[in-house]
Amino acid sequence: MRKSNFFFAVCLTPLALQACSTPQPRAETEAVRDYIAAAELEETDQIRYRTMSNFEHRPINEEFAVLATHDEHYLLEFRRRCFALYDTTFITPDVRRDSNTLRAGFDTIRGCVMEKIYPIDEAQALELGQLGDAPGDEDVVVHP
């Protein structure tokens, strides 16, 4: 019986270590990826704009943000976690290859490279902003 316990310990230890070392996607990230799949969002490689002064980015989590221009909305997926979306103490200059275009894979928002860009509408932008919120955690919008 001791040999069989030893055998299972030797065989299962590498599997257990592999399971522990595999990074698990966070629930918030998976929720956004599920939304992309369910809404069948189509990826674009660039955003054309007139002026940067009309841009507003709202983080969903450290891997996704919604970018709003004066009349369009985009879901941005960053190449890696972007802590600068929340940390305003250190601002990294953005990289722009063209003065009127943001390109996926090259240009940055708050120093973080945008890996993917998905055009979305205003309703989708609001819905994405509320992913992961518990009931009652939503921002209250008061209309005059």
Side-chain angles (χ1 to χ4, degrees):
M1 181 126 157
R2 289 183 188 218
K3 286 183 181 180
S4 64
N5 286 343
F6 178 75
F7 174 76
F8 283 116
V10 169
C11 291
L12 294 179
T13 300
L15 293 174
L17 290 175
Q18 182 181 9
C20 293
S21 67
T22 304
Q24 298 297 319
R26 297 177 354 168
E28 299 165 345
T29 300
E30 282 305 305
V32 177
R33 289 201 174 112
D34 289 346
Y35 184 90
I36 291 168
E40 299 178 348
L41 298 182
E42 300 217 6
E43 194 176 330
T44 185
D45 61 344
Q46 63 186 3
I47 300 170
R48 294 191 177 275
Y49 60 91
R50 287 185 224 122
T51 63
M52 284 295 289
S53 63
N54 295 338
F55 275 29
E56 175 190 351
H57 69 276
R58 293 181 308 258
I60 296 171
N61 58 40
E62 293 157 344
E63 297 176 43
F64 291 94
V66 171
L67 179 72
T69 65
H70 67 285
D71 60 348
E72 297 174 329
H73 295 80
Y74 299 91
L75 173 63
L76 307 177
E77 181 175 352
F78 295 100
R79 184 169 287 167
R80 60 183 61 94
R81 292 172 68 182
C82 183
F83 298 105
L85 291 172
Y86 296 101
D87 182 7
T88 58
T89 59
F90 181 75
I91 298 175
T92 304
D94 284 327
V95 174
R96 300 285 186 266
R97 306 248 189 266
D98 182 357
S99 61
N100 294 347
T101 307
L102 288 175
R103 298 183 193 283
F106 299 104
D107 296 336
T108 65
I109 298 290
R110 299 200 47 106
C112 300
V113 177
M114 298 174 296
E115 185 67 21
K116 297 179 182 177
I117 302 170
Y118 301 94
I120 56 176
D121 60 34
E122 188 173 356
Q124 290 172 318
L126 290 170
E127 190 174 352
L128 282 162
Q130 295 176 354
L131 279 180
D133 286 345
D137 286 350
E138 301 88 8
D139 292 334
V140 176
V141 178
V142 179
H143 298 283

